[in-house]
Every structure is written in C-alpha cells, then in structure tokens.
Amino acid sequence: MNTSTPGLSYVPNNPQSPWQMYLQQVDRVTPHLGHLARWSETLKRCKRVLAVDIPINKDDGTVAHYEGFRAQHNLSRGPGKGGVRFHPDVSIDEVMALSAWMTVKNAALNLPYGGAKGGVRVDPKLLTRGELERLTRRYTSEIGLIIGPDKDIPAPDVNTNDQIMAWMMDTYSMNVGATATGVVTGKPIALGGSLGRREATGRGVYIAARETARSLGFDIAGSRIVVQGFGNVGGIAAKLFKAAGAKIIGLQDASGSVANEGGIDVDAAFDFVALGGKLTEFKGVTPITEGEFWALKSDIFVPAALENQLTEARAKTISTRLVVEGANGPTTPAADDILHDRNIIVVPDVIANAGGVTVSYFEWVQDFSSFFWTEAEINDRLERIMVEALKAVVAASEKHKVSLRTAAFIIACTRVLAARELRGLYP
Ligand code: NAD
C-alpha cells in the first residue's frame, strides 16, 4: 500500500491555524514588554524552517514519499530544543507554532535553550517497524544539516518514543563519525537517557495542577478529574492524580471517550491500551459520546492530546474549575477569553507541560558530563524548577492583572528579547 502524503502543506493566513493562534498570543504580550517591545517582530518570525522530502523503500517493493520539517523559531538564548511529531496532520504551520511555543516554554522555565520543533506528515500506524526505522533515519539525515548537540536537540512528541530517539541518535552519530548522545533527549536509559524522562511531562502536569489547586483552596485528593489524551502525557498525569487520591471520571483518546463516576482504574486502563486494547473496550468504563465527554462535571480538566481542542463553543459549556494544559496549544485565544470571563483558571501549556523539556535538559547535561543522577535527584530538581516557575508566573499575573498565559509570555518574552538586544544584530 502506498502511504505517501501529498506535498507542501502550508495554509497562509488560516485564522484557525496554530501559527495564527501564536501570533495573537504575541500581540497580547507586546504591550507589557516595555522598551523591549521594539524587538517584538523577532517573536513573530521563525529564524529558520527546513522542509524535506523523505523517500523510503516500502516492504512491498514500492517507494513512498513523506514530507518532513524542522523549524527553529529563536536561538537567542541557546541551541534549539523541541520534539519531533509523526502525525498525518503535521504541517509547516503547525511545526512553526510548536517551535515558537518551545521558545516561550524554555525561556519561561529559564532553561538555556531556544525553541525548535520537527515533524513528519505520516500516520506511523500504517508503517511496519522496518519502514518506521527507515523513515526516521532518512528524516534525521535530511535535517542533519541543522541539528546537533550544540545546535538543536530533538526529543519525543506525539507518536515518537525512546526507540525513535535511539534511531535518530545512531543516524546522526554515523553521519558525523562519532557517538553523539547529546543530539537528542528522551533516549533509552541504556543509551544515555535520563531516569524520570518518560514520566516527566505527566509529572509536571501533576505538579502544576496540585500547586494551582492549592492556591484556589482545594486539594487533588478527592478531586474529580477529566483527561483528554491517554498517551505519555495524559496517561502518566492520570496515574499520578489517582495515586494522590483523585478520581479520574472521564478519559478520551483517538478511539473514543469513556466515563466512570466512581473513578477509572487508570493504571489497568493504561496497561490495557499499551498492549493494543481499545480504551472504549476496557472493563469498568462506560463508552460515552464526544458531546457527553465535554459535558462531564469536573474540578480539573486536562487536555493532553492535540492543539485546538478547547474551542470557543466548548469553553462556553465546559464545567470545571481549572484547566491544566498537558498538550501544546489546546485552547484557542477566543476560548481563553471565555474561560477567563467564567473564572475558570487555565495553567498554560508553556508552564504546565514543561516537565518534559526540563528533564530533557537534565539528560543533555548528564550526557555532556557523562555523570548520571538518581531518579530521586531528578524528580526533586524537577519539582523545584516547576514550583518556582509557577510562583513567578502567578506573581506576574497578579502584578500585571493578566491571565497566567500572558504572564508566562511576559516572563519568557522579556528573557528572549533581552538576550536579542544584548547580542545585537549580525552583521
Ligand atoms: P502520545 O502520542 O503519547 O499520546 C497522544 C494521545 O492523544 C493518545 O492517547 C491519542 O489516542 C490521543 N489523541 C490523538 N488524537 C486525538 C483526538 N483527536 N481526540 C482525542 N484524543 C486524541 O503523545 P504525548 O507525548 O502524550 O503528547 C500529547 C500532547 O502533549 C501533545 O500536544 C504534545 O505536543 C504535548 N507534549 C508532549 C510532551 C512529551 O514529553 N511527550 C512534552 C510536552 C508537550
């Protein structure tokens, strides 16, 4: 079967596009940037975007072509850092937005990185393991021009995992003639990966939810939680919420939505899905419709699937107190305003899901020094960085009387543009 995807997928000026969403977020922060606002156009452009053709031999003897990208939004504060996504909806526009959100996230957490992101427009479920490996290796080779341990360091994202990172690391190492563990993060432990990395994004979502709930006067224990997306981020976060005494009353993944008022056994459900089961067929849950899923009453709602999920219409009716964004860009700017008016607090993606890149940073540092930390050390440092970043964002939101998202953007964009100004323009 030929699974090639059609050519260049750029939709300029589509108001629903993630890049347009990001541009609107920049417009909201610019009035708060003081004298640095003169550099704000920098934030509205990607420094560099590479589009590549990825031809591979299929197992059936045909040749298939896929479209791949690597965008480097801003490198003022350090090398690029950001994941690689394999998904049929990947577009240049989406990759640009995701790279820009990485710039903001890395600066909000004060990690010494710029922002980057990559992706291949492919449905990996339609490929055999051999085809997936050839696709990964050819993509890595094509973007090899612009990645490297001190240039731009990819990591896992939707539909990519530690095995894909191992193939990327091996391909890059073969091309440069030396083992370069620091070229990607999210690697297997046996290849210089970090303990705690796989769980880090979900753990960060949990920490962000716990701290914000506390500041709103309620505890995770006894809370009702709904999670959209039951993969690495949503799945791990759901397990940690349950371990802390919360009830996960609704879950949704690409196969459908399920509910259980008494609380879903998310540990067993996660194992069931990992072994190839369909969430909707897991025992102890009731399949519900998409409409019923968005109508569930919760204390905390965690979107942890894809962007553009919490739309204007859904923001008007969703019944929750706190939204903690595990996914990147799940809430549209119009929905953000509605949630604000309804007093529903949103912990933005650039803080809430920053646990992954924070432990990726630890992995990169450990690879450079060839000295590895214990899981307890990693989790302690993650906890400290996340809690401090959240406190700073809450303080900025109170000072400027803006949402947590705009506050996070103020902190991050100030850091990025201060670096821009100090470095000056070349030549
Ligand atoms: P994943 O592939 O492990 O899981 C994605 C989940 O979303 C799956 O359960 C899938 O079935 C579900 N899903 C896909 N399409 C859906 C749809 N239309 N409706 C409902 N559910 C759907 O991916 P992940 O790594 O968990 O990433 C999820 C989100 O978190 C993405 O936005 C990603 O950019 C973001 N994120 C991931 C990391 C990380 O470290 N993995 C870090 C930061 C942000």
Side-chain angles (χ1 to χ4, degrees):
M1 183 176 42
N2 191 322
T3 50
S4 301
T5 47
L8 205 65
S9 48
Y10 181 51
V11 191
N13 301 327
N14 169 5
Q16 300 302 323
S17 87
W19 179 249
Q20 296 296 327
M21 238 169 93
Y22 163 74
L23 292 181
Q24 289 177 50
Q25 292 167 344
V26 173
D27 285 339
R28 287 173 182 214
V29 73
T30 305
H32 301 282
L33 295 178
H35 78 282
L36 290 171
R38 77 178 275 256
W39 294 97
S40 63
E41 187 64 23
T42 295
L43 300 169
K44 293 188 151 190
R45 287 155 194 268
C46 276
K47 176 182 179 60
R48 186 178 288 138
V49 186
L50 181 63
V52 297
D53 174 40
I54 308 160
I56 62 161
N57 285 312
K58 300 288 302 275
D59 288 359
D60 64 7
T62 61
V63 175
H65 287 256
Y66 301 92
E67 195 180 21
F69 307 101
R70 184 75 190 171
Q72 295 173 341
H73 172 257
N74 189 286
L75 305 179
S76 293
R77 301 179 65 256
K81 186 91 194 77
V84 169
R85 176 177 292 200
F86 289 173
H87 194 277
D89 294 340
V90 162
S91 65
I92 196 165
D93 180 298
E94 180 187 67
V95 170
M96 284 165 62
L98 291 166
S99 72
W101 284 322
M102 286 308 299
T103 300
V104 176
K105 190 182 305 181
N106 291 329
L109 272 284
N110 215 3
L111 305 178
Y113 292 130
K117 199 85 179 191
V120 179
R121 218 143 84 88
V122 61
D123 185 348
K125 286 192 276 312
L126 301 180
L127 302 184
T128 63
R129 184 179 161 92
E131 290 166 347
L132 185 63
E133 178 174 350
R134 293 195 284 283
L135 175 102
T136 303
R137 289 187 181 278
R138 183 62 186 252
Y139 169 67
T140 308
S141 207
E142 293 295 338
I143 64 164
L145 291 168
I146 62 169
I147 62 169
D150 53 5
K151 284 183 175 173
D152 179 2
I153 305 110
D157 191 71
V158 175
N159 291 330
T160 55
N161 57 20
D162 52 357
Q163 176 61 73
I164 301 230
M165 294 306 116
W167 290 329
M168 290 188 76
M169 175 271 201
D170 182 67
T171 305
Y172 180 85
S173 297
M174 288 296 141
N175 285 346
V176 298
T179 294
T181 51
V183 66
V184 289
T185 57
K187 296 181 295 297
I189 304 294
L191 275 184
S194 177
L195 294 167
R197 170 62 184 89
R198 194 196 286 251
E199 298 80 16
T201 308
R203 183 174 292 280
V205 167
Y206 164 74
I207 295 169
R210 184 196 65 204
E211 293 298 303
T212 316
R214 242 179 229 163
S215 72
L216 295 176
F218 70 99
D219 265 340
I220 294 290
S223 293
R224 292 161 56 87
I225 300 186
V226 173
V227 181
Q228 185 203 32
F230 195 48
N232 177 276
V233 179
I236 302 291
K239 286 187 192 201
L240 291 169
F241 285 129
K242 178 170 172 271
K247 268 201 274 188
I248 314 299
I249 54 138
L251 280 178
Q252 184 186 67
D253 75 359
S255 75
S257 312
V258 298
N260 180 343
E261 271 299 305
I264 300 169
D265 181 353
V266 285
D267 297 281
F270 195 72
D271 293 343
F272 179 77
V273 172
L275 290 172
K278 268 176 102 175
L279 181 61
T280 44
E281 288 166 7
F282 175 66
K283 283 202 194 93
V285 296
T286 311
I288 54 172
T289 64
E290 173 98 18
E292 287 167 334
F293 173 80
W294 286 97
L296 289 170
K297 283 191 174 35
S298 64
D299 297 303
I300 304 177
F301 182 89
V302 179
L306 296 169
E307 55 270 16
N308 267 323
Q309 296 301 304
L310 235 171
T311 56
E312 215 172 325
R314 287 170 176 166
K316 282 181 188 153
T317 55
I318 194 168
S319 174
T320 195
R321 298 157 85 176
L322 177 58
V323 173
V324 183
E325 295 184 334
N328 286 308
T331 311
T332 66
D336 242 350
D337 291 342
I338 294 166
L339 294 172
H340 185 257
D341 291 346
R342 294 185 60 210
N343 277 327
I344 298 173
I345 304 294
V346 180
V347 187
D349 46 8
V350 290
I351 291 289
N353 69 27
V357 70
T358 304
V359 177
S360 273
Y361 165 55
F362 298 162
E363 178 175 334
W364 184 71
V365 169
Q366 292 171 83
D367 285 337
F368 269 123
S369 56
S370 299
F371 180 73
F372 290 86
W373 312 346
T374 65
E375 190 159 1
E377 283 172 315
I378 285 158
N379 289 344
D380 281 356
R381 287 176 165 137
L382 171 64
E383 168 92 23
R384 187 155 34 84
I385 291 184
M386 289 286 303
V387 170
E388 276 170 16
L390 257 165
K391 267 193 198 143
V393 169
V394 170
S397 119
E398 283 164 5
K399 179 175 167 202
H400 295 278
K401 301 197 176 11
V402 293
S403 67
L404 294 179
R405 189 184 316 279
T406 302
F409 268 66
I410 292 173
I411 292 171
C413 296
T414 300
R415 287 183 178 144
V416 172
L417 297 184
R420 166 77 288 162
E421 184 168 74
L422 286 164
R423 285 179 67 159
L425 287 182
Y426 173 88

